[in-house]
Amino acid sequence: MKTKLLHTRWTFNERFQHWALAISFIVLVITGFQLKYPDAWWAKLLVGGDILFDLRSLLHRISGTIMLIMSFYHIYYMIATKRGRQLSKYLLPEKKDMQDLIKNIAYNFGLRSQPPEFGHFSYIEKVEYFALIWGTVIMAVTGLMLWFQELTLLLFSTWVIDLLTVIHLYEAWLATLAIVVWHFYYVIFNPDIYPIDTSMITGKITEEAFRDEHYLEWLKIQEEAGEDA
Ligand code: HEM
């Protein structure tokens, strides 16, 4: 039997961070929209029914706190660990990202025969990461200001509470749609990936996927291995 070569893409720590964020985000989406639309037909249908519905405000705050703790841990991880610093370096925007975007548009319009080649992260993954960071900052700041309203009102007029609620709500829609449409396309619905990208479960991708999706990094590893041999 032919065994598939596997390449490690995510460590256990990174997968733990991903799933802690994913689970807290899902609970925030469900409980947040239950708060906004309490009379909607689906609001009491979810697993947990009435109990979840009655506790929605508390669960929203608990999962918000988990998301905040994980965000601070993530900052520490990206700055203070060797692997985190390496990933931070890979995530830095560079001139090549803009060139890759233009090449990809040209490829999708049939003006180029080949798509661009990527390193550890493509420009698409970098934009998604920075959108996540930006979205989390907005949700955390507005969420905390709504949570500690008395404190907010010591500093601002009452209309600020309405403004914060509107920002929190529309960013919630944006974040939810970004995950469902954008992220789920890249990890589930993309015909090359379907039914699911398992790398966030196993931590590994096949050698074939590594070569196809991160060709420049794959090439570098081959060259280094050649030099060592
Ligand atoms: C970072 C952490 C977050 C914190 C600290 C936070 C906090 C809050 C608080 C205190 C409220 C008011 C709750 C109440 O009336 O009892 C609220 C409402 C809400 N939250 Fe969050 N939240 C966070 C993240 C999120 C996320 C990620 C989503 C969805 C993607 C979300 C969706 C909502 C929605 C839809 C509402 C109702 C807004 C309205 O009434 O118009 N929240 N949040």
Side-chain angles (χ1 to χ4, degrees), residues 25 28-29 31-33 35-36 57 60-61 63-65 67-68 136 139-140 142-144 146-147 165-166 168-169 171-173 175-176:
F25 181 77
L28 281 163
V29 171
T31 53
F33 286 112
L35 282 162
K36 174 64 188 169
S57 199
H60 197 77
R61 285 162 170 80
S63 40
T65 307
M67 185 183 257
L68 281 174
T136 307
M139 292 315 277
T142 53
L144 285 173
L146 287 172
W147 187 348
T165 310
V166 170
H168 197 78
L169 176 65
E171 180 60 38
W173 273 112
T176 308

Side-chain angles (χ1 to χ4, degrees), residues 28 31-32 34-35 51-64 147:
L28 281 163
T31 53
Q34 277 179 322
L35 282 162
I51 299 176
L52 173 57
F53 185 81
D54 291 343
L55 291 178
R56 64 198 194 278
S57 199
L58 177 67
L59 287 172
H60 197 77
R61 285 162 170 80
I62 293 173
S63 40
W147 187 348

Side-chain angles (χ1 to χ4, degrees), residues 31-99:
T31 53
F33 286 112
Q34 277 179 322
L35 282 162
K36 174 64 188 169
Y37 307 108
D39 300 322
W41 62 269
W42 52 265
K44 287 187 183 178
L45 281 183
L46 297 155
V47 184
D50 282 349
I51 299 176
L52 173 57
F53 185 81
D54 291 343
L55 291 178
R56 64 198 194 278
S57 199
L58 177 67
L59 287 172
H60 197 77
R61 285 162 170 80
I62 293 173
S63 40
T65 307
I66 293 173
M67 185 183 257
L68 281 174
I69 292 170
M70 289 314 293
S71 302
F72 283 114
Y73 174 72
H74 182 67
I75 296 172
Y76 160 81
Y77 182 78
M78 296 300 266
I79 295 174
T81 68
K82 194 170 165 222
R83 161 86 181 172
R85 279 195 297 274
Q86 180 71 64
L87 290 178
S88 305
K89 222 169 100 192
Y90 286 145
L91 279 164
L92 285 179
E94 49 188 357
K95 207 166 126 201
K96 180 181 177 306
D97 295 323
M98 194 43 97
Q99 293 163 345

Side-chain angles (χ1 to χ4, degrees), residues 123-142:
Y123 71 90
I124 302 163
E125 289 165 320
K126 291 183 188 183
V127 171
E128 203 180 341
Y129 179 77
F130 287 113
L132 167 77
I133 302 280
W134 175 241
T136 307
V137 171
I138 303 257
M139 292 315 277
V141 171
T142 53

